[in-house]
Amino acid sequence: MRYLPLTEAERREMLVAIGVPSVDALFRDVPKAAWRDEPFDLPPHQGELEVERALARLAAQNVPAGSVPSFLGAGAYRHHVPATVDHIIQRGEFMTSYTPYQPEVTQGTLQYLFEFQTQVALITGMDVANASMYDGASATAEAVMMANRVTRRSRAVLSGGLHPHYRETTETNARFAGVTIVAADPHPEADEDLAALIDDKTSCVVVQNPDFFGRIRDYSALAAAAHAKGALLVVVVSEIVSLGAITPPGEMGADIVAAEGQSIGNPLTFGGPHVGLFATRDKYVRQMPGRLVGQTVDADGRRGWVLTLSTREQHIRREKATSNICTNSGLCALAFTIHMSLLGEIGFTGLAEINHAHASLLAEKLESVPGVTVLNDSFFNEFTMALPKPAADVVEALVGHGVLAGVPVSRLYPDRPELKNLLLVAATETNTEADMDTFAAKLQEVLR
């Protein structure tokens, strides 16, 4: 596509049309402290080889999660991805495929999206899943909007155990959609009475399992309480591997499930791209955002796949669209599908068991360190520890010892000083017992 820059006259014409005096005025919401007035101090142009060397030097300042013992989590997890996944997704037809605008001529894309949907519906315990979400956070925001459409209400109750990024994304969408958000305070040991926050204007209650602090909950009673008042239960899952071991949201009475699928088939890549998962009940399918691929037969009785429901504005009248979701993390969804197919039901369950076993062993080793307390009464592969000093300082010190110790809660809740000594620690199948011993030994040394 050729890029044709705008002329100054065209810019002035557009500014007049929208009633803004200058381009700078368009960015008035950006804090002045974040503005940069002087030009960037960049070196002069160089050859390709010189640029590669310069970028390699910059990249070497990072500590990749695979280069040292890593216990990072908080919504993005390091799992082993079989080489087969990367090999298959690099086939030319997959690398170049995009949104199926002419869907029925892209049978391969539709088939893997159909299988992706089937896998998501099975592991979440729901009736139907779509294939159109960017990530877990945006899927959560879409779930709230969908609940509003189903119930014709506009008030959502969010658990304090919901991942703060998911909550912020939902609040941003809600702000421009006239939705009232009631969010409980985050606390690793609090027993929330979310049922008491439901009133006759509440469209949904949003909870996470395992929650942000790693706790596992049974939300069956909350689902019943929500349904009794005409509200829906939205269950969020940020670590999809957990569904190989714990009760699926569908069996707890969830009406909508929003999840992050990065853990299956997709490596850690500086924050993305991730792949959002979204599932619901049959009776709500026409209010589901995005697209749904269905299976059918052609005139000759041969099996084929079609875009069955597509509620985005490109396929239906704009005023009827349920969402502006217009594409998805297609290649990431394919990676998810391939990895899940390789695992199978037994492999998925086995992977979950290994994760939980490693986390349990890690918790034992770390809790033996003087001054350390594991706060969780239950967890899957991630838990919260209380330290005798600020967790951010401890993590920084441990980086110097070659250990990525976890995520300080204060990094995600900088305005909550009461949480500054809390550290989120995750263990997956990639962590060896030697990694855990190194972590425990270095932690004791840093806390001494």
Side-chain angles (χ1 to χ4, degrees):
M1 180 184 294
R2 180 177 295 176
Y3 174 65
L4 298 174
L6 299 170
T7 65
E8 281 301 318
E10 289 170 329
R11 290 194 179 92
R12 283 196 299 273
E13 186 179 349
M14 288 190 290
L15 291 172
V16 169
I18 61 177
V20 178
S22 66
V23 173
D24 286 348
L26 293 173
F27 301 100
R28 64 179 183 274
D29 293 330
V30 178
K32 288 297 180 186
W35 283 58
R36 187 183 179 93
D37 296 324
E38 68 276 15
F40 285 98
D41 183 21
L42 294 175
H45 73 278
Q46 296 177 344
E48 182 177 328
L49 182 58
E50 288 74 21
V51 171
E52 285 183 358
R53 287 171 178 159
L55 293 177
R57 285 194 298 273
L58 289 173
Q61 296 179 30
N62 292 317
V63 180
S67 65
V68 297
S70 172
F71 301 91
L72 301 174
Y77 302 89
R78 179 170 174 256
H79 289 282
H80 172 67
V81 179
T84 309
V85 175
D86 195 44
H87 177 74
I88 295 177
I89 65 171
Q90 292 195 52
R91 289 176 61 97
E93 60 269 39
F94 290 136
M95 290 294 283
T96 58
S97 64
Y98 183 53
T99 298
Y101 284 111
Q102 296 80 33
E104 277 65 46
V105 300
T106 57
Q107 284 292 296
T109 298
L110 292 182
Q111 181 178 356
Y112 88 69
L113 290 178
F114 178 82
E115 293 176 1
F116 171 80
Q117 294 171 178
T118 304
Q119 292 168 344
V120 173
L122 286 172
I123 61 176
T124 56
M126 303 298 284
D127 298 329
V128 59
N130 74 12
S132 293
M133 297 292 116
Y134 300 133
D135 55 25
S138 57
T140 303
E142 290 285 352
V144 170
M145 299 305 147
M146 175 177 161
N148 292 347
R149 293 191 296 272
V150 169
T151 62
R152 298 180 184 276
R153 299 175 179 179
S154 59
R155 180 179 182 272
V157 175
L158 309 186
S159 164
L162 180 64
H163 193 296
H165 289 170
Y166 292 31
R167 190 200 67 214
E168 290 168 6
T169 303
T170 302
E171 289 176 340
T172 299
N173 280 25
R175 195 171 86 195
F176 298 102
V179 179
T180 301
I181 297 291
V182 178
D185 284 338
H187 195 287
E189 297 177 290
D191 285 324
E192 302 172 318
D193 186 8
L194 296 175
L197 299 177
I198 304 172
D199 61 20
D200 58 4
K201 296 180 180 176
T202 302
S203 64
C204 62
V205 181
V206 184
V207 294
Q208 182 174 322
N209 198 39
D211 71 9
F212 174 67
F213 298 102
R215 298 171 302 182
I216 298 172
R217 291 284 186 268
D218 180 357
Y219 291 112
S220 302
L222 180 61
H227 296 159
K229 295 190 177 182
L232 306 185
L233 179 68
V234 176
V235 177
V236 173
V237 183
S238 66
E239 169 52 295
I240 200 66
V241 176
S242 67
L243 295 185
I246 67 176
T247 303
E251 293 182 20
M252 295 185 191
D255 300 286
I256 304 172
V257 177
E260 173 55 61
Q262 172 267 321
S263 289
I264 299 294
N266 293 279
L268 294 175
T269 49
F270 294 94
H274 286 185
V275 53
L277 315 180
F278 196 101
T280 189
R281 303 290 181 190
D282 269 338
K283 59 184 176 180
Y284 302 132
V285 69
R286 290 188 178 277
Q287 293 300 332
M288 186 166 62
R291 69 172 70 81
L292 186 66
V293 177
Q295 180 177 266
T296 186
V297 293
D298 65 11
D300 299 321
R302 295 175 300 188
R303 187 170 68 151
W305 290 269
V306 294
L307 212 53
T308 304
L309 291 175
S310 190
T311 54
R312 58 184 182 163
E313 68 272 21
Q314 289 157 313
H315 287 144
I316 63 175
R317 285 183 299 170
R318 185 174 296 272
E319 65 273 17
K320 296 290 186 183
T322 59
S323 166
N324 65 355
I325 285 283
C326 59
T327 185
N328 68 336
S329 303
L331 201 63
C332 297
L334 175 61
F336 179 100
T337 304
I338 296 168
H339 192 180
M340 191 64 85
S341 300
L342 293 171
L343 286 169
E345 185 174 348
I346 295 175
F348 185 55
T349 303
L351 177 62
E353 290 173 350
I354 294 171
N355 271 251
H356 180 59
H358 283 201
S360 298
L361 182 60
L362 178 63
E364 286 180 21
K365 290 179 181 291
L366 295 180
E367 200 160 35
S368 68
V369 176
V372 173
T373 304
V374 174
L375 300 181
N376 295 58
D377 54 4
S378 63
F379 58 85
F380 170 60
N381 70 351
E382 188 167 24
F383 51 86
T384 304
M385 299 194 311
L387 304 178
K389 57 176 67 175
D393 297 342
V394 173
V395 166
E396 193 63 31
L398 285 171
V399 170
H401 289 276
V403 176
L404 297 177
V407 179
V409 174
S410 60
R411 182 173 297 174
L412 296 163
Y413 281 112
D415 56 343
R416 299 274 183 168
E418 71 275 17
L419 305 178
K420 68 179 180 180
N421 285 11
L422 302 186
L423 179 64
L424 283 174
V425 179
T428 70
E429 74 281 2
T430 64
N431 296 115
T432 65
E433 186 166 357
D435 290 343
M436 301 176 201
D437 289 336
T438 299
F439 184 6
K442 297 301 180 184
L443 179 61
Q444 185 165 347
E445 190 175 330
V446 167
L447 293 180
R448 190 172 296 152

